[in-house]
Amino acid sequence: MASQSSGRRVTAADIARSLGVSRATVGFVLNETPGQTISPATTARVLAEARRLGYRPHIAARALASGRSHLVLLVLPDWPIEHSLRENIDEATQALDEHGYTLITFTPHEGARSRPLWETLQPDVVMGLLRFPAPLIRSMREAGVERIIPDPDEASNTRYSEGGPRLQVEHLHELGHRRLGFARPGDPRLVELADAREAAATAAAVNLGLEAPRTLEPVCVGSELDPPVQAWVDAGITGVVAFNDDVAAAIIGAAARAGIAVPRSLSVVGHDDTPTALMFEPRISSVQIDSTGLGHYLAALAIHALDGTPTPDWEQTSAVTLISRESTSVSPSTQE
Amino acid sequence: MASQSSGRRVTAADIARSLGVSRATVGFVLNETPGQTISPATTARVLAEARRLGYRPHIAARALASGRSHLVLLVLPDWPIEHSLRENIDEATQALDEHGYTLITFTPHEGARSRPLWETLQPDVVMGLLRFPAPLIRSMREAGVERIIPDPDEASNTRYSEGGPRLQVEHLHELGHRRLGFARPGDPRLVELADAREAAATAAAVNLGLEAPRTLEPVCVGSELDPPVQAWVDAGITGVVAFNDDVAAAIIGAAARAGIAVPRSLSVVGHDDTPTALMFEPRISSVQIDSTGLGHYLAALAIHALDGTPTPDWEQTSAVTLISRESTSVSPSTQE
DNA sequence: AATTTCAACTAGCGCGAGCTAGTTACGCTC
DNA sequence: GAGCGTAACTAGCTCGCGCTAGTTGAAATT
């Protein structure tokens, strides 16, 4: 337990010296190196001495010698998913920690001119939630990153964004809504994800025999989107699939100003189940993502890439749920 | 530009060999080692060859040789400040990058049982926004972290949380409000920060000759806080200093349900100027934090600790601003 | 001309851990 | 009691880089 408060750091050599054994022996014990037979007695002595001296392996030295940094870099898009994402990053962190890897998150912002973290950190794996654009992949490869998830050379299997929109559409459909709108966020950073979600929503609608949802031009938070919402209602749209809870809130606000009652005249479903959804008047129906599952899935993906463990299946490990609140109700046309 | 796509990595020795100079020379050029005189011609050749071969220094080796990891670990509390914080982390990241350091953020969650990142990462500095509790400091020290910010051995100078609440109180005071309430968040993770903000608000109120704001018992998002708000109004409170925009939104929602007009009968000021503030009906007056300034401040603190540069002054480098919107207006008592 | 100075380089150690290629010494067989 | 196998260990190289302690040769000084 004790550790020299201000002296040099304790190395494996210190343990060896203090015990009168060789450095190699210490290394074998501490790493449980396979193929090496160390007597239980020696093993115990080494471990005890390591603890006594407060030994901590020097990660830089380990990385240099072993050639692996034991770092996993999770590249986060700057989505405001925050709330659910945070939790599953935790899960993933822990799962990876148990395998001796450290998960570090990183959000490459457009504005920032600093070097991407994979260049400085030289992680063993770089993971992302969506496929990486080609220039980024090139940058990673040049920086010596050999494992990239999702694998740029394989057909995409990232379907994180499909389940939610489908649930949103199905929810509105069950309530009798037949003409839907899709409300996009104004934030340019979200374009990619919005595209994915809109495509999923459209697919789900068409699948149910509905016409494809009309798209509301990007919503600028705080801007005047009252007229467009009015136009939607005039066009017979009764249900709105919102990109996320914030967009849903914006639509509801606009509706309120335009004198459109929510949910009586217009139902709105959010996505991500953020705290906003609960705090709004009316409370927003939303899609909750199983963060724990996603976290484990992420970790499993990384470990797979590192150890060759079989790739886990996303559908099995995670799920999305629709939480019905007061912002959605039976379609007015059904009410007659 | 070219880099061997699958071979071994390019080392400084490769450059030296390819150029017929010594490894030391290459090192001196690449590090611009002070006290070494390398001819411009050689310097140029080395740099050109480094670029041509696609040389990237091996950070683990560098860390091992130099004894410094060149990592700065920013420990984030799990506040939902997100919005403003994210931006200034960016600023800090960049500022540190320019000094050759990499900023990594980390949120030690209560539930997570994985090792704290300073043990695995062995950063040169660990920074936090508030003072660290003693056990954490011990853990850092044991892990070999020598620089901790804020310095545990010095009197606290972390006043990140003072300016905002003061502005909130002053704003309400200027509008004629004389009896204020302070609305706290329900989230237990925020207790510490809420304490700090409430203390600052109280101090500001007393300083203006007001009585100390009454505290609203922790607000559970989505819970029924209508009665307490009603009680406040009955007690003559006309202005509410909310811990943050979310709490402000909750208060406004409760007021709406209780039939209390905002801002006519009750003014509410938020904090942090999150997107929520803009999206709410009415739009919430809030305190905006100069994130760029805070970011630079954080970076400056770290660089100070590393290089001995003079400690920057927080007041000078950053600022808070009150943004007045529709959730606050002149006190009803003044209107008579 | 002898000495000093200094720009411009180089040889090579050390950082701490991983790990290969040994070296003992002991037990067991024939 | 020689031969063999193997448990239990060790010497020492390696990883890539930082950097000290030189070496060299030419210009400047006395």
Side-chain angles (χ1 to χ4, degrees):
Chain A
M1 244 333 146
S3 78
Q4 38 22 284
S5 49
S6 62
R8 255 188 50 270
R9 67 176 302 134
V10 180
T11 73
D14 293 332
I15 301 177
R17 205 174 309 120
S18 150
L19 241 42
V21 302
S22 79
R23 255 240 45 246
T25 305
V26 173
F28 294 147
V29 169
L30 294 175
N31 302 324
E32 299 174 35
T33 311
Q36 290 293 337
T37 52
I38 304 290
S39 71
T42 309
T43 302
R45 286 173 61 221
V46 169
L47 291 177
E49 192 66 4
R51 178 176 288 105
R52 196 181 71 78
L53 295 177
Y55 169 77
R56 315 253 171 177
H58 190 296
I59 52 148
R62 185 210 291 273
L64 177 60
S66 71
R68 355 203 61 217
S69 64
H70 286 255
L71 293 177
V72 173
L73 186 59
L74 176 60
V75 179
L76 295 177
D78 45 4
W79 303 340
I81 302 197
E82 283 309 320
H83 204 252
S84 55
L85 202 58
R86 269 272 178 120
E87 287 171 18
N88 50 48
I89 287 173
D90 252 30
E91 289 292 331
T93 303
Q94 201 177 308
L96 283 170
D97 189 71
E98 279 160 20
H99 285 253
Y101 285 87
T102 303
L103 182 72
I104 291 174
T105 60
F106 166 56
T107 308
H109 294 264
E110 311 248 333
R113 285 161 301 279
S114 55
R115 257 167 294 124
L117 211 45
W118 53 77
E119 291 198 1
T120 4
L121 232 45
Q122 303 176 352
D124 293 334
V125 190
V126 175
M127 313 183 59
L129 296 185
L130 293 178
R131 321 198 99 238
F132 291 108
L136 250 54
I137 292 183
R138 215 174 311 122
S139 156
M140 292 174 195
R141 289 259 160 84
E142 272 176 18
V145 179
E146 283 170 5
R147 278 163 261 257
I148 300 177
I149 301 172
D151 191 331
D153 302 328
E154 270 183 24
S156 171
N157 66 340
T158 53
R159 311 196 290 176
Y160 309 106
S161 39
E162 284 187 10
R166 194 178 58 224
L167 278 187
Q168 290 175 299
V169 168
E170 287 170 2
H171 174 63
L172 290 174
H173 180 257
E174 274 169 26
L175 288 171
H177 299 272
R178 291 295 172 264
R179 200 164 258 174
L180 308 181
F182 186 88
R184 297 174 58 96
D187 196 321
R189 299 170 301 181
L190 290 171
V191 167
E192 205 178 355
L193 185 60
D195 286 346
R197 288 196 181 164
E198 183 171 0
T202 303
V206 170
N207 196 34
L208 287 170
L210 306 177
E211 56 187 286
R214 285 210 205 174
T215 307
L216 185 64
E217 277 312 301
V219 165
C220 295
V221 168
S223 80
E224 288 309 333
L225 45 78
D226 310 15
V229 170
Q230 181 68 60
W232 263 4
V233 174
D234 292 345
I237 286 180
T238 60
V240 176
V241 174
F243 168 76
N244 66 11
D245 292 342
D246 286 347
V247 172
I251 294 287
I252 294 174
R257 279 187 297 264
I260 301 165
V262 172
R264 186 174 298 272
S265 310
L266 191 68
S267 286
V268 182
V269 205
H271 196 290
D272 298 347
D273 193 34
T274 53
T276 315
L278 259 177
M279 249 153 25
F280 227 71
E281 263 307 304
R283 300 198 178 89
I284 304 172
S285 300
S286 190
V287 169
Q288 187 189 31
I289 298 172
D290 168 20
S291 44
T292 313
L294 214 170
H296 276 136
Y297 178 63
L298 289 177
L301 276 180
I303 292 165
H304 156 70
L306 287 160
D307 303 356
T309 320
T311 319
D313 189 11
W314 159 249
E315 311 294 341
Q316 286 173 8
T317 35
S318 184
V320 286
T321 327
L322 193 130
I323 300 187
S324 182
R325 299 204 182 88
E326 293 96 57
S327 71
T328 49
S329 71
V330 173
S331 162
S333 48
T334 325
Q335 287 171 322
E336 306 158 17
Chain B
M1 236 345 142
S3 79
Q4 35 25 284
S5 49
S6 61
R8 254 188 51 271
R9 66 176 301 134
V10 180
T11 73
D14 293 332
I15 301 176
R17 204 174 310 121
S18 151
L19 240 42
V21 300
S22 79
R23 255 239 43 246
T25 304
V26 173
F28 294 146
V29 169
L30 294 175
N31 301 325
E32 299 173 35
T33 312
Q36 289 294 337
T37 53
I38 305 290
S39 70
T42 309
T43 302
R45 286 172 62 220
V46 169
L47 291 176
E49 192 67 4
R51 177 174 289 104
R52 195 181 72 78
L53 294 176
Y55 170 77
R56 315 255 170 176
H58 190 298
I59 53 145
R62 184 210 291 274
L64 179 59
S66 70
R68 356 203 63 219
S69 64
H70 286 256
L71 293 177
V72 173
L73 186 59
L74 176 59
V75 178
L76 295 177
D78 46 3
W79 303 340
I81 301 198
E82 284 309 321
H83 203 254
S84 55
L85 202 58
R86 267 275 177 119
E87 287 170 18
N88 50 48
I89 287 172
D90 252 30
E91 289 293 330
T93 304
Q94 201 179 307
L96 282 169
D97 189 73
E98 279 159 20
H99 285 253
Y101 285 87
T102 302
L103 182 72
I104 291 174
T105 59
F106 166 56
T107 308
H109 295 265
E110 311 248 333
R113 285 161 302 281
S114 56
R115 258 167 293 123
L117 210 45
W118 54 76
E119 292 197 1
T120 5
L121 231 47
Q122 303 176 351
D124 293 333
V125 190
V126 174
M127 315 183 59
L129 296 185
L130 292 178
R131 319 197 102 236
F132 291 108
L136 250 55
I137 291 183
R138 215 176 310 123
S139 156
M140 291 174 195
R141 289 261 160 85
E142 271 177 18
V145 178
E146 284 170 5
R147 278 163 260 257
I148 301 176
I149 301 172
D151 191 331
D153 302 328
E154 271 183 22
S156 171
N157 67 339
T158 52
R159 311 197 288 177
Y160 308 107
S161 38
E162 283 187 11
R166 195 178 57 223
L167 278 186
Q168 290 175 297
V169 168
E170 287 171 2
H171 175 64
L172 291 174
H173 180 257
E174 275 168 26
L175 289 170
H177 300 271
R178 291 297 172 262
R179 200 165 256 175
L180 308 181
F182 186 89
R184 297 174 58 96
D187 196 321
R189 300 170 300 181
L190 290 172
V191 168
E192 206 177 355
L193 185 59
D195 286 347
R197 287 196 182 165
E198 184 172 359
T202 302
V206 170
N207 197 35
L208 288 169
L210 307 177
E211 55 188 287
R214 286 209 204 173
T215 307
L216 186 63
E217 278 310 301
V219 165
C220 294
V221 168
S223 81
E224 289 308 334
L225 45 77
D226 311 13
V229 169
Q230 181 69 58
W232 262 4
V233 173
D234 293 344
I237 286 179
T238 60
V240 176
V241 174
F243 169 76
N244 67 10
D245 291 342
D246 286 347
V247 171
I251 294 287
I252 294 175
R257 280 187 297 265
I260 301 166
V262 172
R264 186 174 298 272
S265 310
L266 191 68
S267 286
V268 182
V269 204
H271 196 291
D272 298 347
D273 193 34
T274 52
T276 317
L278 260 177
M279 248 153 26
F280 227 71
E281 265 305 305
R283 301 198 178 90
I284 303 172
S285 300
S286 190
V287 170
Q288 187 189 31
I289 297 172
D290 169 20
S291 43
T292 314
L294 214 169
H296 276 137
Y297 178 64
L298 288 177
L301 276 180
I303 292 165
H304 156 69
L306 287 160
D307 303 356
T309 320
T311 319
D313 189 10
W314 160 249
E315 311 293 343
Q316 287 174 7
T317 34
S318 184
V320 286
T321 326
L322 194 131
I323 300 187
S324 182
R325 298 204 182 88
E326 292 96 56
S327 71
T328 49
S329 71
V330 174
S331 163
S333 49
T334 326
Q335 287 170 322
E336 306 159 17

